[in-house]
Amino acid sequence: MDSMAQAFVSTRVVTPDGVHAAAILEDEGRVSGLCPTDSIPPGYQVYDFHDMAILPGLVDSHVHINEPGRTEWEGFWTATRAAAAGGYTTLVDMPLNCLPETTTVAALEAKREAARGRCFVDWAAWGGVAGDNAERIEPLARAGAKGFKCFLIYPGCEGFEMVTREQLERALPHVIRTGLPLLVHAELAEPIEVATATLRGADWRQYMTYLSSRPDEAELSAIELLLTLCDRYGFRLHVVHLATALAIDKLRSARRAGLPVTIETCPHYLHFAAEEIRDGSTLHKCAPPIRNRGNREKLWEALRDRDIDLVATDHSPCTPELKDQEKGRFDHAWGGVASLSVALPVMWSGMCTHGLGLTDLARLMAEKPAELAQLGSRKGRIGGGYDADLTIFDPEVEAEISRDMLHTRHRISPYVGVRVQGKVLATFLRGRAVFREGKFVDAPFGAEV
Ligand SMILES: [Zn+2]
């Protein structure tokens, strides 16, 4: 398709080196360069967004799209619509909760088939290191997986196998040969089993029962094991969804000692706190669990100090029945928080009160997740040669999150009713609007990247 070159103009263009007035020049889906607003070359269609911020399209490196196989939970159509409405232009899909799990090349091919023509934003796939599939790791990398995910504990869902330490050690040489990162769900079972045994007869409608059942120690012991293995083997370790701030010191020392470790946390650990979660509110259930206020503030400190590299949603929806909201039992409900469409204003609201700015937002939610997923030369920044993925964001307007803002298959989320600052006005994927003023593009053209 032949289209006119475009210039996206604003007084607040967010680039890695700051927020400036600029015109972003786009040609055939890519940014050809930036220039002062008064020197746009002739022949460009100009879109002036005035004082609205232009962010790089956000990249979410931790999403459970659940298709193929569990499309009744979410799916490419609904997840990528929610993403577009939320200011995201690239999603990286986790290898579990879909069927088949993405632990073989055939499964990756099935996922590509399911995604075809059904994506409002671009996407990529993580492969799984699961059980004894070590031999499948390098073929998956050659087939296009961006890295690998494994669990040191039962993942909460039949099908995707956890790895024991022995299985992990057999897999690591293969992971290292791919040069790709290994993303790890860092909780060990033993501290959870010990804690749960003391909770016999406890009231599982109470959030505090659930929190007590998954102590900090489960994360801490897993992270210790991972750092030991990282030191021994030198693989690229990425700790997903860090919930306990007690691990920060250990992780910081390991990084200072030169271990190749990156760390992610999620909006729900930065926004909610255990003290504020009502009994029976299973929409807040996730693993590791949302911890207390003091812990939350320490996670913010770690973000500010760059001890945490990135924020990903861990968007993990399911059907309303699986959330067991009527009985409200935390032991029976599915664990997972849906947030793709609202993570940006939720995070921005927290950033405003914790001394972080728009460049931090772009680094934490676009640039670093893109780098993790081997997309750092194409996604995650506004700059020459990058895809023209742009999010037009009003950083000042306030709103209350409502169900109609969710766009997911099931409009349930613990964020409904939360007051936030900031609103996504439009999302451009490779220079074309996929979401604008509440409406989606008719023919979605998101692709695997
Ligand atoms: Zn996850």
Side-chain angles (χ1 to χ4, degrees), residues 62-64 94 96-97 149 151 185 240-241 264 287 313-316:
H62 192 152
V63 186
H64 298 269
M94 281 295 172
L96 69 158
N97 303 352
K149 166 83 177 284
F151 276 74
H185 180 119
V240 295
H241 54 47
E264 141 199 330
T313 64
D314 193 7
H315 178 75
S316 186

Side-chain angles (χ1 to χ4, degrees), residues 16-53:
D17 44 55
V19 182
H20 313 282
I24 304 161
L25 304 178
E26 177 271 348
D27 202 359
E28 310 222 314
R30 289 207 172 180
V31 174
S32 54
L34 277 70
C35 72
T37 54
D38 58 1
S39 35
I40 300 168
Y44 279 82
Q45 172 81 52
V46 177
Y47 295 98
D48 192 344
F49 293 101
H50 307 280
D51 294 333
M52 297 298 111

Side-chain angles (χ1 to χ4, degrees), residues 314-332:
D314 193 7
H315 178 75
S316 186
C318 64
T319 60
E321 299 74 56
L322 287 173
K323 273 297 186 184
D324 190 40
Q325 287 179 88
E326 266 158 43
K327 295 203 193 76
R329 287 190 56 145
F330 282 94
D331 51 344
H332 294 169

Side-chain angles (χ1 to χ4, degrees), residues 103-219:
T103 52
T104 65
V105 172
L108 179 56
E109 292 300 341
K111 186 168 287 291
R112 287 172 172 152
E113 194 54 47
R116 196 155 297 139
R118 302 184 61 77
C119 296
F120 288 81
V121 301
D122 287 347
W123 69 282
W126 299 118
V129 167
D132 287 306
N133 83 330
E135 305 300 324
R136 316 252 194 202
I137 289 169
E138 287 148 275
L140 267 167
R142 284 194 292 274
K146 302 295 184 189
F148 297 90
K149 166 83 177 284
C150 73
F151 276 74
L152 299 181
I153 188 169
Y154 175 67
C157 196
E158 293 303 324
F160 193 91
E161 287 177 69
M162 61 169 282
V163 286
T164 61
R165 178 181 179 150
E166 292 67 33
Q167 287 169 325
L168 180 56
E169 288 195 78
R170 277 200 294 279
L172 283 176
H174 298 275
V175 172
I176 289 164
R177 279 199 285 276
T178 68
L180 298 173
L182 181 66
L183 288 64
V184 188
H185 180 119
E187 281 183 300
L188 290 187
E190 204 197 328
I192 293 173
E193 285 158 7
V194 170
T196 305
T198 69
L199 292 167
R200 236 164 252 138
D203 178 0
W204 280 94
R205 289 192 77 261
Q206 291 185 3
Y207 183 73
M208 285 304 165
T209 303
Y210 177 60
L211 178 59
S212 312
S213 76
R214 291 190 97 111
D216 299 85
E217 184 53 28
E219 284 188 83

